[in-house]
Amino acid sequence: MAGATAGVGLAAFGPSAALAVATTFGTASTGTAISALSGTAATKAALAWLGGGALAAGGGMAAGNAVLALAGPVGWTVGGLALVGSGAWLHRRNGALARQAVEKRVRVEAEIRARRTAHEEVEGLAASTRTFTRGTLASLGWLHDHAPRDYRHFDDGQKERLGALINHTRSLRELIRREVVL
């Protein structure tokens, strides 16, 4: 819509400019570039292009002539109003798109923050798991090498090591059960 309105505005401000644009960028209904045509064929194709295409497509040379007839004071007024209306429509449409983009950006940034927080929590859980795993393995290895097979023969230091092993194991159990929520 904005393109057609701007085209009408361009045609209203200068028939020769409109024909030049049609000749340079237009395509005849046969698919041939208007710039490749000459004489009457080029003129008719340019008028048809300005009029919206071939007559079968709802356009035609008569419509192109009508567009060019808008030249002059009346055409300048119509063209100016068309350009202003087109600009207002584009401004409103762009404003809505900008608001949507800002809303999406805010949602994406909130997701990023949530994922960063979750990532940090997972990293913390991984570090704690490594720490308690090392403690469990160290206590288990020490007890294997230094403690008797019967608990009744454990001294206080061996009992403390066994208590540390139990605490590390319980801590690992809690870490394994913990969930990270987004």
Side-chain angles (χ1 to χ4, degrees):
M1 173 184 175
T5 307
V8 169
L10 177 64
F13 289 118
S16 58
L19 281 174
V21 168
T23 303
T24 304
F25 300 108
T27 304
S29 61
T30 61
T32 304
I34 297 174
S35 60
L37 301 175
S38 62
T40 306
T43 303
K44 287 183 177 182
L47 287 172
W49 186 81
L50 284 172
L55 193 57
M61 289 187 321
N65 275 323
V67 168
L68 291 180
L70 290 173
V74 172
W76 290 17
T77 303
V78 171
L81 290 174
L83 288 174
V84 168
S86 175
W89 179 79
L90 286 173
H91 177 72
R92 187 173 58 250
R93 187 176 130 248
N94 288 345
L97 290 174
R99 281 189 298 281
Q100 290 172 355
V102 167
E103 290 169 1
K104 286 180 182 179
R105 188 195 83 226
V106 167
R107 285 194 304 265
V108 167
E109 287 174 350
E111 264 310 300
I112 289 170
R113 282 191 303 276
R115 299 214 182 267
R116 280 186 183 144
T117 300
H119 176 75
E120 290 169 5
E121 189 174 345
V122 167
E123 289 295 319
L125 288 172
S128 295
T129 301
R130 284 189 295 274
T131 299
F132 286 112
T133 299
R134 282 191 298 270
T136 299
L137 292 174
S139 294
L140 189 60
W142 189 90
L143 286 169
H144 181 270
D145 293 340
H146 298 97
R149 299 282 178 231
D150 189 345
Y151 178 76
R152 291 178 292 186
H153 299 117
F154 274 39
D155 63 26
D156 288 341
Q158 293 164 337
K159 288 179 182 178
E160 283 182 29
R161 283 289 186 144
L162 182 59
L165 174 64
I166 292 169
N167 287 337
H168 285 299
T169 305
R170 286 181 178 160
S171 296
L172 281 171
R173 180 188 66 202
E174 294 303 316
L175 288 170
I176 290 169
R177 289 181 177 174
R178 192 171 300 165
E179 292 182 25
V180 176
V181 181
L182 288 176

